[in-house]
Structure formats: structure tokens, C-alpha cells
Amino acid sequence: MSGYAVRAEGLEKRYGEKRALDGFDLAVREGTVHGLLGPNGAGKTTAVRILSTLVKLDGGSARVAGLDVARQPREVRARIGLTGQYAAVDEVLTGRQNLEMFGRLFHLGGSRARLRAGELLEQFDLTDAADKGVGKYSGGMRRRLDLAASMILTPRVLFLDEPTTGLDPRGRGEVWDSVRALVTGGTTVLLTTQYLEEADKLASHITVIDQGRSIADDTPDGLKSTVGGDRIEVVVAERADIPRAVKVVARVSDGEPESDETELRVHAPVTDRVAALTEVARTLQDEGVRVEDIGLRRPSLDDVFLRLTGHRTDVTEDEDIKGGTPKDVKRDAKEAVA
């Protein structure tokens, strides 16, 4: 476990005939953001529920912060934080009152809860709104307050399950900044998300899960390299110009150019990216081919996702329910915390 905040081997979870996890492996290094990506129903939230002791595992083993989640669930809970898909804050109370309430629930005592609330309000840039009702907060502010609440006891490991679902770009950016600050302070973050841009910007390592198993595990750049290198793309103005564009691109490409007649697009892999772009742009101009767009494109995590799972990611909610009925999930949670 040395150097790892989370380690899972062969995790299994069944709901009747459905296998939500089927031998899932995961290793998260301390002091990092580790992304967990997968299509809807892949098992992301089920894995988080097991690692955070909310659901009992049916097979395999897992350790969080050096503790066995099956044998030492209470000790694990004292060392972790969990933020789900929806902000768990009271909109009637102010931001300060919410944090003080959570502090008391964690048995900090009145004076210590007030002190900790003040520290977190400052840390998450909520001091100016501390005494406003949370009902008047923006989505990003609510999310930051929710993150602050999960940090009452300064957990060694923080589980973030779809933390920016439903937020606008500004709100997502605010949450990203808060997550980066937490990691700088020494907290390890396991992030589940279907926003591939989010994983790309925050995570230093990514595990892709599908059908309850890990199907890829690498850095974002490492995953992208499996798809291939740079590609040149040309969008022509007229469908009749596609064959000429294909011939021009073929002169500089490392493989057979591909074309899309619907999007009027031609693309192909290239090695010398700048020289290839210059040559294609000059030749198309010389031949009188009207171009709407031309540029170089590097593989994205969306390309990786498509290659590994066979389809692009869907941004949908409640993927965990796919692993069992709501009744199954509630029953397991009650048993786990009993």
C-alpha cells in the first residue's frame, strides 16, 4: 500500500443476475487526482459506494487510507470525504450555518465547529456569502459549499462522484479550482465523471471502466497515444472538392486519408505537423479549392473513449442505479452502515 491512498483488487458486486462490478481493479496514488471514467451503467458509482463503505462488496478486496473497507469500515469513514452527484446542503440555512451544523454532526463541539466553518469558508472563497441563505447561491457556490462540508475533518481521501453535473462552465471552473487547491493541501481525490474535459484538466491518472471491469489505466497523454498521433483536418466548401482534397492530404499523410461527405471533411494522420499543414494549405490554395476550415488536431479523451468502449460518452445521471434497483441500493447502504 506504500504510496497508494486507494487500492482495490478484483472487486465484485452483484444485484441479482446483474454484475455491477466484475473483478474491478484500481490503484490511486497519494496526493493526486485520479479519474474514473466509464459509460452510463459501467459501475463507477458502485465502485465509489464500496470504497466509501456505503455498500458491501461481494468479492475481492479494497483498502482506503491503509485500512480494509470490509473489516474496518468505521475507521475508513473517519479518514474519507464523499461528495455525491447532488449538493447535500440545506438551502434554508446560511453557508456558515450549514458548515457549523456539519461540524457538530462530526462531534467537533460548538466552538471548534465555528472555527472550522470559518476556515473552510475562506478556503473555498465563500466568506463574502457566508451569512446568505444557500437558496441564493449559484450552482457553483452550492457545489463549493458541498465540497467544504466534505472537508470538515480534513479527509485523507475525497471521493467526488460526478461533482459538476448540471453546472454551467463558470460553475464547473469554480469547482475545478477548489479541487486543485485540495490536492495541493495533501488530499487525494478519486473523481468519477462523464465530462471528459474535466478528467483531462484535473486528473494525473485515469482508469476507464466498462461492464464492471477496468479496461485501461494510464495518464491522459498515455491513453491518447493509444489512439494515434496528430491528424490534419480539412473542411471544404463544396462536396465536389472532396476528391481533390483527399489527393492533397494524401501527399503528406502517414496513412490513407478518410473523408466525410456529410461534414465535407477530410482527415489523416501526420508526423511533421507544421510542414504538413503548410503544404496542404498552400497546395489547396494553388489548386483553387475553397476551404472552410483547416487545422491540426490531437487525439482527445473522447477519441480514447470511443476506441475503448465503442461509443462516445453520454452525460446522463443516476448511472449507479443501473447496477441494481433503487430498493437494492438502499438496502445495501443500510446494511453497510449498520
Side-chain angles (χ1 to χ4, degrees):
M1 277 296 297
S2 178
Y4 289 97
V6 178
R7 194 71 184 259
E9 296 181 349
L11 285 189
E12 296 182 2
K13 184 61 190 176
R14 295 178 295 277
Y15 292 103
E17 297 295 320
K18 170 70 175 181
R19 284 183 174 268
L21 293 178
D22 188 17
F24 176 64
D25 298 324
L26 179 69
V28 179
R29 291 195 174 275
E30 294 178 347
T32 65
V33 177
H34 190 110
L36 182 58
L37 301 182
N40 194 43
K44 301 187 299 296
T45 298
T46 299
V48 168
R49 284 178 169 156
I50 288 175
L51 294 172
S52 58
T53 77
L54 291 178
V55 171
K56 290 183 179 180
L57 54 82
D58 292 328
S61 62
R63 299 183 73 84
V64 175
L67 300 167
D68 189 295
V69 299
R71 298 177 182 176
Q72 302 166 285
R74 294 185 183 275
E75 292 86 345
V76 170
R77 290 174 205 143
R79 291 166 173 78
I80 67 172
L82 171 63
T83 298
Q85 295 182 20
Y86 306 100
V89 292
D90 191 319
E91 295 193 358
V92 175
L93 301 178
T94 67
R96 189 186 306 278
Q97 289 170 336
N98 265 280
L99 294 181
E100 290 181 5
M101 176 185 69
F102 279 108
R104 288 176 177 271
L105 289 174
F106 280 105
H107 308 292
L108 292 184
S111 59
R112 179 58 184 148
R114 285 191 294 274
L115 178 62
R116 184 60 178 150
E119 293 171 348
L120 289 168
L121 288 166
E122 182 175 356
Q123 180 179 345
F124 286 86
D125 195 25
L126 291 168
T127 303
D128 291 343
D131 299 310
K132 293 181 181 179
V134 173
K136 298 180 180 178
Y137 281 20
S138 67
M141 292 170 67
R142 283 193 185 90
R143 251 327 185 181
R144 280 150 53 203
L145 183 64
D146 199 35
L147 283 173
S150 69
M151 295 296 293
I152 290 288
L153 297 183
T154 315
R156 289 176 57 183
V157 181
L158 178 62
F159 296 99
L160 296 182
D161 188 16
E162 309 281 358
T164 60
T165 295
L167 294 185
D168 60 25
R170 179 178 179 180
R172 291 171 64 194
E174 291 174 349
V175 173
W176 293 351
D177 289 342
S178 296
V179 171
R180 294 186 184 102
L182 293 177
V183 175
T184 300
T187 298
T188 301
V189 174
L190 178 61
L191 168 74
T192 74
T193 181
Q194 293 186 61
Y195 293 114
L196 300 185
E197 179 192 11
E198 184 164 80
D200 205 359
K201 287 183 177 295
L202 291 177
S204 58
H205 211 91
I206 291 173
T207 298
V208 182
I209 181 175
D210 195 18
Q211 299 182 358
R213 295 183 178 183
S214 171
I215 59 173
D217 187 272
D218 207 337
T219 64
D221 285 343
L223 290 174
K224 292 173 190 176
S225 70
T226 64
V227 178
D230 297 323
R231 301 183 72 85
I232 188 168
E233 290 190 344
V234 176
V235 178
V236 296
E238 303 289 341
R239 181 173 285 103
D241 286 328
I242 289 178
R244 285 201 290 170
V246 167
K247 290 181 180 180
V248 172
V249 171
R251 298 175 190 174
V252 300
S253 68
D254 298 328
E256 190 69 24
E258 299 178 23
S259 61
D260 185 325
E261 292 195 358
T262 301
E263 298 182 356
L264 307 183
R265 183 169 63 100
V266 175
H267 59 99
V270 294
T271 301
D272 193 341
R273 51 200 310 268
V274 176
L277 179 62
T278 303
E279 173 68 15
V280 169
R282 182 182 57 79
T283 304
L284 289 174
Q285 184 177 33
D286 290 346
E287 295 191 6
V289 176
R290 287 202 305 123
V291 174
E292 294 291 334
D293 190 24
I294 183 171
L296 293 165
R297 178 173 175 271
R298 289 184 171 176
S300 66
L301 284 181
D302 201 38
D303 296 319
V304 174
F305 203 91
L306 177 62
R307 173 71 64 85
L308 292 173
T309 68
H311 56 82
R312 297 193 181 277
T313 185
D314 299 317
V315 181
T316 54
E317 300 172 4
D318 296 331
E319 72 85 21
D320 50 289
I321 302 301
K322 295 285 187 177
T325 67
K327 184 177 180 181
D328 293 331
V329 174
K330 290 178 181 177
R331 183 194 64 236
D332 262 358
K334 288 180 179 178
E335 292 176 353
V337 300

